[in-house]
Amino acid sequence: PAAWLSVPRSLGEERKGQSKSRPEEAQALVAELKRLMDSPDGRDLTFGVISFYKEQVNTIKNALVDAGIVVSTEESTEIVEPYRELMLPNGRFAERLRFGTVDAFQGMEFDVVFLSMVRSNTRGSFGHVTSPNRLCVAMSRQKRLLIVAGDDGMLRTPGAPQGIIPLVEFHRLSEVRSAARV
């Protein structure tokens, strides 16, 4: 239950700023999320989308709006049906989709979790991805499947810090799918 959605740097690098974003990665992630949520096997699953960066969460929200999963106004953001809730076998309702920063996901679990890595640059700079605590939270929120979306070329840079060894190992164990085919 490990997958990597490869979004190479050639599709677009991270956007610079105090908080990072990568629109191409957000679009690929949301396309795959929608495909899975709409599939017969995905209709009874819960989904989480996590990023290390608030600006990427905003970019993902915009991609969710474009995909018809979220409606956003100046006052609120609302997940639309059938993506909002899931009736469990015990008759209770569960949140079917949630998206946010790593910090907002501490203590939560979802059947399928997408982790947006964001970092894609020629400097080999990984930022928040090197935080062991954040990486632990980000990579342990799934019950069934973790899908990391990101530039797997970053894992092979000479300056890849020791702090991303969990991502390197995860990639080695994962089924890799190219975002160009999503």
Side-chain angles (χ1 to χ4, degrees):
W4 191 285
L5 181 59
S6 177
V7 186
R9 184 178 305 122
S10 61
L11 295 179
E13 286 192 17
E14 68 190 55
R15 295 220 173 136
K16 295 173 177 45
Q18 188 164 351
S19 184
K20 307 292 184 214
S21 69
R22 191 167 180 233
E24 298 79 11
E25 184 176 295
Q27 291 166 0
L29 184 154
V30 168
E32 184 67 3
L33 170 70
K34 186 168 181 8
R35 185 187 73 77
L36 289 176
M37 290 186 85
D38 289 345
S39 74
D41 290 335
R43 292 183 199 270
D44 295 327
L45 299 175
T46 59
F47 293 82
V49 179
I50 302 173
S51 179
F52 296 97
Y53 298 93
K54 185 170 175 60
E55 189 59 35
Q56 183 70 349
V57 171
N58 290 332
T59 303
I60 289 167
K61 178 185 77 172
N62 293 336
L64 289 167
V65 168
D66 291 345
I69 297 172
V70 167
V71 174
S72 185
T73 65
E74 287 185 26
E75 296 84 38
S76 69
T77 298
E78 185 176 323
I79 298 169
V80 301
E81 291 298 342
Y83 305 104
R84 182 183 317 135
E85 292 180 318
L86 172 68
M87 183 182 274
L88 302 173
N90 65 9
R92 297 176 73 183
F93 284 94
E95 185 176 36
R96 185 158 184 237
L97 173 63
R98 175 177 284 240
F99 59 98
T101 61
V102 172
D103 299 333
F105 273 75
Q106 193 148 352
M108 295 182 180
E109 287 187 326
F110 294 86
D111 294 317
V112 178
V113 171
F114 283 82
L115 171 59
S116 178
M117 192 171 91
V118 182
R119 298 314 291 254
S120 178
N121 57 67
T122 57
R123 301 174 313 281
S125 175
F126 288 91
H128 292 311
V129 179
T130 61
S131 168
N133 293 344
R134 282 187 162 152
L135 196 55
C136 178
V137 169
M139 296 184 77
S140 63
R141 302 298 96 196
Q142 75 286 346
K143 295 177 190 174
R144 297 181 180 200
L145 173 63
L146 173 61
I147 302 169
V148 175
D151 177 6
D152 47 356
M154 289 289 291
L155 304 177
R156 295 184 292 276
T157 60
Q162 287 296 105
I164 64 153
I165 291 299
L167 279 174
V168 172
E169 290 301 312
F170 180 84
H171 184 269
R172 189 177 61 78
L173 298 170
S174 294
E175 174 184 326
V176 177
R177 184 171 180 191
S178 173
R181 293 185 302 220
V182 172

